Amino acid sequence: MTFHLTSITGHKARAGLAALALALSSTVALAAEKLQYFTWSGYELPDFNKSFLAAHPDGVEASIFGDDDDAFTKVKAGFRPDIAHPCYDKVARWNKEGLLQPIDTKRIKNWDSIFPVFKNLPDLQAGDGKVWMVPWDWGNTSILYRTDLVKNPEASWNLLWDKQYAGRMATIDAVHDTPIVAALLAGVNPFDMTPEQMDKVAEKLREQRPLLSSYTTDMTSVEQALASGQLVAAMTWNASATSLKKQGVPVEFMNPKEGMLTWACGFVMLKDAKNVDLAYDFINSRLDADSGKYLIQSYGYGSSLSTAFAGVTKEELEKLQLPSDPEVMLKSTIFTGPMKQNDDVAKMFEKVKAGG
């Protein structure tokens, strides 16, 4: 009798272990079927990929990076999402490290609706109808300032070096933003510098350092400080101008005589992506015209899609300081392309920020 009970208990234990193993394998399978998306804060919103979520409810898990230099460092160190969202000027670095796989444009349903100026960018072409990045968003970097606290400033990046506003200005903590502006003011090509020219840029950055309240990529904090008057001017992206104007804060997004910085970003697929089919579904969802329209109207950024602009009125675009054709914008701005000395400039910038 005792033997019989022991046998039953053993059978139950084995059955329980089998059920547990089945449950664990199902959990792993479900996890593997969830797209891993690595992106900027604010770009994880479900409104940007409604058709994807309709087909794959709860089908994406987003991780947030501070900027795409941070993203590059993490991916290079072993973090492996399926899709990441860097900007164009970084794609060649990701590719050089062997982090990417090409994306087949035949599987991108609205590829032909992407503005030629973006889909034909040099470092994107992978040959045989494939690309290293699918462009999705573009926008500008400039000075956002309080019009009631900074009266009629000269339209120049020099505002962020104006001593009368010391301690009440902030700038973006990224190598492809603040050092580029310093280079423009120093009369140096930001994208290809000799060691002597880099020294000139470093000196310009040193002039600015004691005037700043912070170097940051936290635009929410910058917007709050501008709204309260703690800051009177800051380097920001379009979205901050759009947000504060909607709140009724008296701000202006400057068009500096030296040129705004214009950037373009998009989706790359990691070499070790586990969910390739989901990745294509996600990219296609993000390339719905409604997704691009939401990007324009909510953040004031440009969509890579001509069809997205078709859904936004001329009056709205004028308020957002966006032309319906990005090529018009690029005639008067500085397009942020790859920096040949990116790593050296980054080290120099870190040294300057630290007081060196």
Side-chain angles (χ1 to χ4, degrees):
M1 188 69 174
T2 304
F3 176 78
H4 179 63
L5 286 171
T6 303
S7 298
I8 292 174
T9 303
H11 284 305
K12 285 184 176 178
R14 285 192 293 274
L17 287 170
L20 178 62
L22 180 62
L24 287 171
S25 65
S26 299
T27 301
V28 170
L30 286 171
E33 290 170 6
K34 184 175 284 195
L35 182 78
Q36 301 299 312
Y37 174 43
F38 198 26
T39 189
W40 307 80
S41 177
Y43 278 179
E44 75 281 12
L45 301 183
D47 302 83
F48 291 130
N49 39 263
K50 287 182 178 179
S51 60
F52 176 86
L53 291 174
H56 310 283
D58 195 32
V60 59
E61 184 174 311
S63 301
I64 306 302
F65 53 71
D67 66 18
D68 48 5
D69 286 316
D70 169 46
F72 174 75
T73 300
K74 289 179 179 176
V75 171
K76 189 177 175 183
F79 180 56
R80 288 292 181 269
D82 297 304
I83 286 182
H85 194 154
C87 291
Y88 162 67
D89 59 298
K90 299 297 191 301
V91 171
R93 295 184 73 211
W94 288 57
N95 201 12
K96 185 179 178 181
E97 291 293 330
L99 299 173
L100 306 180
Q101 62 173 291
I103 297 171
D104 189 350
T105 60
K106 296 185 186 70
R107 296 185 64 178
I108 304 300
K109 64 179 183 180
N110 284 330
W111 178 253
D112 289 342
S113 295
I114 296 176
F115 288 107
V117 69
F118 296 128
K119 66 182 180 182
N120 294 329
L121 286 168
D123 289 329
L124 300 194
Q125 311 309 315
D128 195 28
K130 297 178 180 180
V131 292
W132 298 113
M133 183 186 88
V134 174
W136 186 67
D137 56 312
W138 61 274
N140 295 316
T141 303
S142 189
I143 301 172
L144 186 62
Y145 67 95
R146 285 282 298 263
T147 55
D148 56 334
L149 301 176
V150 180
K151 301 288 188 180
N152 302 315
E154 180 189 13
S156 171
W157 283 108
N158 279 309
L159 177 59
L160 294 182
W161 274 258
D162 193 329
K163 293 179 181 178
Q164 67 178 307
Y165 303 116
R168 302 182 70 189
M169 300 183 292
T171 195
I172 296 177
D173 186 9
V175 68
H176 48 275
D177 289 299
T178 300
I180 286 180
V181 170
L184 292 174
L185 294 178
V188 171
N189 178 357
F191 309 107
D192 190 7
M193 306 182 207
T194 65
E196 293 76 22
Q197 289 173 329
M198 200 174 301
D199 288 342
K200 288 179 67 175
V201 175
E203 187 55 39
K204 195 68 183 173
L205 290 168
R206 289 189 194 98
E207 288 176 21
Q208 185 188 42
R209 186 184 60 227
L211 307 177
L212 298 173
S213 69
S214 65
Y215 297 92
T216 183
T217 57
D218 182 359
M219 291 297 113
T220 300
S221 296
V222 168
E223 289 166 24
Q224 291 170 348
L226 282 166
S228 71
Q230 179 184 347
L231 290 178
V232 300
M235 182 188 286
T236 72
W237 303 303
N238 310 56
S240 295
T242 301
S243 175
L244 290 181
K245 286 180 179 180
K246 285 179 179 179
Q247 296 172 43
V249 180
V251 293
E252 187 64 34
F253 197 55
M254 183 185 284
N255 186 7
K257 63 184 182 182
E258 301 87 2
M260 294 182 181
L261 307 185
T262 297
W263 43 263
C265 308
F267 306 116
V268 298
M269 197 180 303
L270 276 295
K271 187 176 182 180
D272 301 323
K274 294 181 174 62
N275 300 294
V276 171
D277 290 338
L278 280 180
Y280 277 104
D281 287 351
F282 181 82
I283 293 171
N284 281 323
S285 179
R286 288 276 171 136
L287 288 176
D288 286 340
D290 285 346
S291 173
K293 180 181 176 181
Y294 183 79
L295 175 70
I296 295 167
Q297 293 179 322
S298 298
Y299 286 176
Y301 292 144
S303 167
S304 66
L305 296 167
S306 58
T307 49
F309 275 92
V312 183
T313 66
K314 182 180 178 182
E315 291 73 25
E316 283 181 282
L317 292 176
E318 286 176 354
K319 286 181 182 178
L320 295 169
Q321 296 175 262
L322 279 179
S324 57
D325 183 347
E327 291 201 51
V328 173
M329 178 71 76
L330 290 170
K331 288 177 181 177
S332 61
T333 62
I334 309 298
F335 186 65
T336 306
M339 299 173 74
K340 288 188 178 180
Q341 294 80 27
N342 187 93
D343 292 347
D344 291 336
V345 174
K347 289 174 185 175
M348 175 270 285
F349 189 36
E350 289 301 315
K351 183 178 178 180
V352 169
K353 288 188 296 178

